[in-house]
Amino acid sequence: MTSKHLRVRVLLQNELGEILLVRSWLGHQSWSLPGGGIGRSESPAQAAIRELQEETGLTVGKEKLREIGRFKNPYRNAPFTVVCLVATVKKQEPTQAYYRRLEVLDSGWFNVKHLPKDCSPTVKKALKLRS
């Protein structure tokens, strides 16, 4: 499978049991996991680190990331496979770089028992892989 058929999502969790979600200007605008495309010369972990930094301003070392599984994107109009990685960090507030404001509408930490109603199905798939 080529990198154009793969995308990454990062299930970033903190010591309080919360997960980090972002809302994008693009697509369905529901809350989802940070992530995106994998560059030609990137591994899924490298892409996850880059996308997380671009979308939230948070940095995670490669040694903290662990792939927990892969699944087909739940949206039929976008046929790709999601590579899901997980990492645990101390809670820090996410920020959006000025040039990324066109991509990310909002971001925040959410308790897994109280996720937003307009949450992407990708979030639930990733949480099932985690357990």
Side-chain angles (χ1 to χ4, degrees), residues 27-41:
H28 45 77
Q29 296 184 354
S30 59
W31 288 97
S32 190
L33 300 172
I38 300 173
R40 231 177 238 264
S41 61

Side-chain angles (χ1 to χ4, degrees), residues 15 18 22 26 29 42 51 55 67 96 107 125 127:
E15 75 278 10
E18 298 169 323
V22 297
L26 306 171
Q29 296 184 354
E42 285 183 315
E51 287 287 345
E55 293 182 4
E67 185 176 324
Q96 284 109 26
S107 59
K125 285 183 173 282
L127 287 170

Side-chain angles (χ1 to χ4, degrees), residues 8-108:
V8 295
R9 292 288 179 263
V10 183
L11 180 59
L12 193 65
Q13 48 196 14
N14 66 32
E15 75 278 10
L16 303 174
E18 298 169 323
I19 61 170
L20 184 66
L21 299 178
V22 297
R23 255 185 340 133
S24 172
W25 284 104
L26 306 171
H28 45 77
Q29 296 184 354
S30 59
W31 288 97
S32 190
L33 300 172
I38 300 173
R40 231 177 238 264
S41 61
E42 285 183 315
S43 68
Q46 290 168 325
I49 291 166
R50 177 183 49 76
E51 287 287 345
L52 188 62
Q53 214 292 314
E54 288 176 358
E55 293 182 4
T56 69
L58 301 179
T59 304
V60 173
K62 191 174 180 178
E63 72 284 352
K64 288 196 173 226
L65 281 170
R66 178 174 55 90
E67 185 176 324
I68 57 173
R70 297 176 181 213
F71 54 87
K72 290 193 183 305
N73 181 39
Y75 298 100
R76 294 176 192 233
N77 61 340
F80 56 81
T81 298
V82 173
V83 180
C84 189
L85 297 105
V86 66
T88 302
V89 297
K90 288 188 177 181
K91 186 173 182 175
Q92 309 165 49
E93 286 311 308
T95 60
Q96 284 109 26
Y98 178 75
Y99 67 93
R100 283 287 182 206
R101 297 281 281 157
L102 297 176
E103 183 178 346
V104 176
L105 177 63
D106 201 3
S107 59

